[in-house]
Amino acid sequence: MAEQCILVVEDEAAIRDMLSFTLTAANYKVIEAPNAEQGWKLLLEHQPDCVLLDWMLPGVSGISLAQRIRQNDQTATTPIIMLTARGEENDQVQGFESGADDYVVKPFSPRALVARVKALLRRQSPEKSTLDLIKTGPLKLDLSSYRFTVNDEEVKLGPTEFKLMQFFMTHSNRVYTRVQLLDQVWGENVVVEERTVDVHIRRLRKLLDPVGAADYIQTVRGAGYRFSVD
């Protein structure tokens, strides 16, 4: 397997050095940027497998860079882990809504961060034990090319939304609680707030709305979510 590349966008040199050392020891290639402008340039040049992005950057913020990454076709599916000292629930929701796939609050354990990177990259590369092509109504999800289409029109999904859609399309017409979705999509060993599910569901619906598929994901009040094309 080719060496995976991680882009670290962090203005504090000591934290960049720590992340570079930890990730290199875990057999990742690491490239670094001290601000959003250089981070964007390296992102386009190297197409990394994952971005570790500090929220509080000088000049352009990490939130703004995350939004730019999601809005560009070339980078829209790049996994993003937001690094920040802002641990309040509203801050986490803002981070996820900006396009982040995971959110790590400083100070953090380097080993725990590596585990989050590995878990996110696993979501980026679905298990090949499933069918390469999943079809449900007008929806097609191709695991081999990592493409998702509705009525043959491609919809760009981030890694978490892709994994969430994969789960929904293979488990339709059944209600799943937020906890069940966290275990199935994020993994049982990843600790995130239940509200994270709501944020990603909202993001997924927003992506599906222009192609008329947002209503396939239904909220079941007091229970959770159900996916159905019927």
Side-chain angles (χ1 to χ4, degrees), residues 77 123-124 126 142-148 154 157-159 162:
T77 62
R123 296 207 297 272
Q124 177 78 351
D142 191 334
L143 301 180
S144 60
S145 64
Y146 203 78
R147 295 178 73 240
F148 171 69
E154 184 170 7
L157 301 181
F162 190 92

Side-chain angles (χ1 to χ4, degrees), residues 75-88:
T75 61
T77 62
T78 303
I80 301 171
I81 298 180
M82 188 74 72
L83 307 176
T84 179
R86 305 174 66 152
E88 296 297 321

Side-chain angles (χ1 to χ4, degrees), residues 15 18-19 83-84 104-113:
I15 296 179
M18 178 271 289
L19 290 170
L83 307 176
T84 179
V104 176
V105 178
K106 300 175 180 178
F108 50 81
S109 158
R111 289 181 61 192
L113 179 64

Side-chain angles (χ1 to χ4, degrees), residues 155-200:
V155 179
K156 297 283 188 179
L157 301 181
T160 302
E161 284 72 38
F162 190 92
K163 185 70 174 178
L164 193 55
M165 182 54 67
Q166 179 188 358
F167 179 78
F168 276 142
M169 289 177 66
T170 53
H171 298 81
S172 60
N173 299 309
R174 177 180 168 183
V175 177
Y176 287 91
T177 67
R178 291 167 177 80
V179 172
Q180 288 173 321
L181 289 171
L182 283 173
D183 288 345
Q184 293 292 331
V185 177
W186 279 259
E188 295 181 1
N189 296 322
V190 176
V191 181
V192 292
E193 299 287 338
E194 288 186 31
R195 191 173 176 184
T196 300
V197 175
D198 299 329
V199 173
H200 283 280

Side-chain angles (χ1 to χ4, degrees), residues 136-139 169 172-173 213 215-218 227-230:
T136 304
L139 283 62
M169 289 177 66
S172 60
N173 299 309
D215 292 341
Y216 293 160
I217 302 174
Q218 303 155 4
F227 175 82
S228 176
V229 297
D230 298 329

Side-chain angles (χ1 to χ4, degrees), residues 49-155:
D49 297 285
C50 181
V51 178
L52 299 186
L53 179 58
D54 184 31
W55 180 316
M56 303 296 290
L57 293 170
V60 178
S61 71
I63 288 288
S64 296
L65 179 56
Q67 292 170 339
R68 186 176 185 182
I69 291 171
R70 286 288 171 258
Q71 291 165 3
N72 185 286
D73 285 346
Q74 188 178 349
T75 61
T77 62
T78 303
I80 301 171
I81 298 180
M82 188 74 72
L83 307 176
T84 179
R86 305 174 66 152
E88 296 297 321
E89 183 181 27
N90 287 339
D91 293 326
Q92 294 188 35
V93 170
Q94 185 180 351
F96 282 121
E97 289 185 336
S98 73
D101 298 287
D102 204 350
Y103 189 101
V104 176
V105 178
K106 300 175 180 178
F108 50 81
S109 158
R111 289 181 61 192
L113 179 64
V114 170
R116 302 288 275 266
V117 170
K118 289 181 178 178
L120 182 54
L121 290 174
R122 280 198 300 270
R123 296 207 297 272
Q124 177 78 351
S125 304
E127 295 293 330
K128 293 302 181 181
S129 57
T130 58
L131 293 174
D132 278 349
L133 183 63
I134 302 169
K135 297 181 181 179
T136 304
L139 283 62
K140 296 180 184 178
L141 190 142
D142 191 334
L143 301 180
S144 60
S145 64
Y146 203 78
R147 295 178 73 240
F148 171 69
T149 60
V150 179
N151 289 318
D152 295 324
E153 180 178 347
E154 184 170 7
V155 179

Side-chain angles (χ1 to χ4, degrees), residues 4-37:
Q4 292 177 300
C5 178
I6 311 296
L7 169 61
V8 175
V9 186
E10 164 66 61
D11 63 318
E12 294 187 40
I15 296 179
R16 282 203 314 275
D17 290 345
M18 178 271 289
L19 290 170
S20 179
F21 176 82
T22 302
L23 292 165
T24 300
N27 298 317
Y28 293 106
K29 176 184 176 182
V30 180
I31 52 178
E32 307 172 30
N35 55 54
E37 291 85 351

